[in-house]
Amino acid sequence: MIQFLNDARLIDILDRTQAQRRANPVDRELLFSSYTTAELHKREVFKVLFSLRRRGFVSIERTDTAEVLDITLLAAALPEGFFKSDHFDEERLNAANLKRIISRISTLNFDTLLERLYMDRGVRVWAA
């Protein structure tokens, strides 16, 4: 998800391939690169998440699937005005577009999310 929120090109690929679901080779390569980058940075993301938990900004629950966590933002604990800041305008726009393209994204399980973002567009992933 971080890769998609950070790169509007990935959102554009999803948008352009909604109907046919199959991305062209260049787009598939960009999607694959985003997936491998996410895999490489997974450990750092976990460190940040657990740091946010220690500070009381998120709650984290483990799931039955290894490396999959249920994370809840504790909005009341965030500094005042955090959501009004323009620091994350681009990411907010990407999130809104992602929600528009992938219906019911917040209810998808991890495997279905990978299917909708990558596998449906011809990218092979190796997540367990």
Side-chain angles (χ1 to χ4, degrees):
M1 294 289 296
I2 293 171
Q3 298 299 314
F4 284 85
L5 298 180
N6 195 40
D7 190 343
R9 296 175 304 167
L10 298 172
I11 303 292
D12 181 58
I13 292 169
L14 297 179
D15 198 20
R16 287 187 286 110
T17 59
Q18 275 186 359
Q20 74 270 21
R21 295 273 193 204
R22 192 80 175 161
N24 66 48
V26 173
D27 289 346
R28 281 197 312 269
E29 184 60 35
L30 185 59
L31 286 168
F32 181 75
S33 177
S34 77
Y35 180 79
T36 57
T37 299
E39 285 293 314
L40 290 172
H41 292 115
K42 195 183 310 185
R43 176 172 266 171
E44 286 75 25
V45 170
F46 280 125
K47 288 178 188 176
V48 169
L49 287 172
F50 284 106
S51 175
L52 291 171
R53 183 182 72 175
R54 279 192 304 277
R55 293 176 184 229
F57 297 137
V58 298
S59 69
I60 299 175
E61 299 291 325
R62 296 203 182 268
T63 65
D64 295 337
T65 305
E67 298 184 355
V68 175
L69 304 171
D70 282 333
I71 303 164
T72 303
L73 180 66
L74 303 175
L78 295 174
E80 190 170 326
F82 180 82
F83 290 113
K84 295 178 181 162
S85 165
D86 60 352
H87 287 99
F88 300 106
D89 284 347
E90 185 176 334
E91 288 80 3
R92 282 190 202 103
L93 177 62
N94 289 342
N97 286 329
L98 189 58
K99 284 186 209 178
R100 177 182 52 78
I101 296 166
I102 307 293
S103 61
R104 301 173 32 102
I105 192 167
S106 63
T107 63
L108 300 179
N109 66 33
F110 184 66
D111 292 331
T112 306
L113 180 65
L114 288 178
E115 184 178 312
R116 298 265 176 89
L117 296 176
Y118 294 103
M119 293 185 283
D120 283 355
R121 279 137 179 104
V123 178
R124 294 184 189 263
V125 296
W126 58 85

